[in-house]
Amino acid sequence: MNVEDASGCTPLHHAAWSGHTHLSEMLLNRGSSALAPTKGGLTALHLAAANGHTLIAQLLLKKNTDPCIGDNNKWSPLHWATVSNHVHILELLSEHNVSLGLEASGNLTPLHVAAETGKMEALNYLLEKGVDVNVQDMLGRTALAIAAGNGSLEVCVAE
């Protein structure tokens, strides 16, 4: 069940990435580890979040997967959902008491990620939920400073 390929992915990682809900559930019920990381530190929850697979994310959360766990860059499933603009995953993680201001390496919050990548739906959701817009990354930049540096008028106006 937990045999890894060259990148450290198990069958559960592949099923979570591809959105195969029934297969993910079967693998979990047969003993696949929901906590197993790839060589990059990604769990099945990171992969489900990055690809917007809500049902799989719910399954993994029911198996007590840590929703705040970071990959090798300390990106949580929240960061991966943000960079992929999956607001429904942000909502799900928030319902599981994940702080929407969770910091990754370099003090990057999901708001920084949304501003950097221009993910407007995620950015607007985070702003509506009242995340701190004054948090600075390790370079001293706020999300607004990042957006301004990228010339992203849409992001700057939203903030």
Side-chain angles (χ1 to χ4, degrees):
M1 283 296 145
N2 293 311
V3 175
E4 299 176 1
D5 64 16
S7 62
C9 289
T10 65
L12 181 59
H13 287 106
H14 290 290
W17 173 266
S18 301
H20 299 298
T21 304
H22 295 297
L23 181 56
S24 296
E25 184 173 29
M26 187 264 313
L27 290 166
L28 287 165
N29 288 338
R30 291 190 177 180
S32 286
S33 173
L35 303 174
T38 65
K39 290 183 179 175
L42 299 168
T43 65
L45 184 57
H46 287 101
L47 300 176
N51 288 290
H53 301 309
T54 307
L55 294 175
I56 295 172
Q58 289 172 330
L59 281 171
L60 293 164
L61 290 166
K62 285 179 185 174
K63 294 288 184 180
N64 296 320
T65 302
D66 180 359
C68 298
I69 193 167
D71 63 13
N72 290 355
N73 293 312
K74 306 299 183 224
W75 272 38
S76 70
L78 190 68
H79 292 86
W80 284 102
T82 300
V83 77
S84 301
N85 219 21
H86 294 304
V87 173
H88 56 285
I89 299 290
L90 297 178
E91 292 170 341
L92 174 65
L93 293 169
S94 178
E95 290 167 4
H96 282 82
N97 300 315
V98 175
S99 168
L100 294 175
L102 187 64
E103 293 182 5
S105 289
N107 300 338
L108 288 177
T109 67
L111 187 62
H112 289 107
V113 172
E116 176 79 33
T117 59
K119 303 301 185 194
M120 291 306 300
E121 291 85 1
L123 183 122
N124 287 326
Y125 174 79
L126 294 166
L127 291 173
E128 288 169 12
K129 292 298 180 180
V131 297
D132 186 353
V133 298
N134 295 313
V135 172
Q136 297 176 321
D137 67 8
M138 70 180 210
L139 299 175
R141 303 174 304 168
T142 64
L144 181 58
I146 291 170
N150 287 341
S152 181
L153 178 64
E154 185 180 21
V155 173
C156 291
V157 171
E159 289 196 47

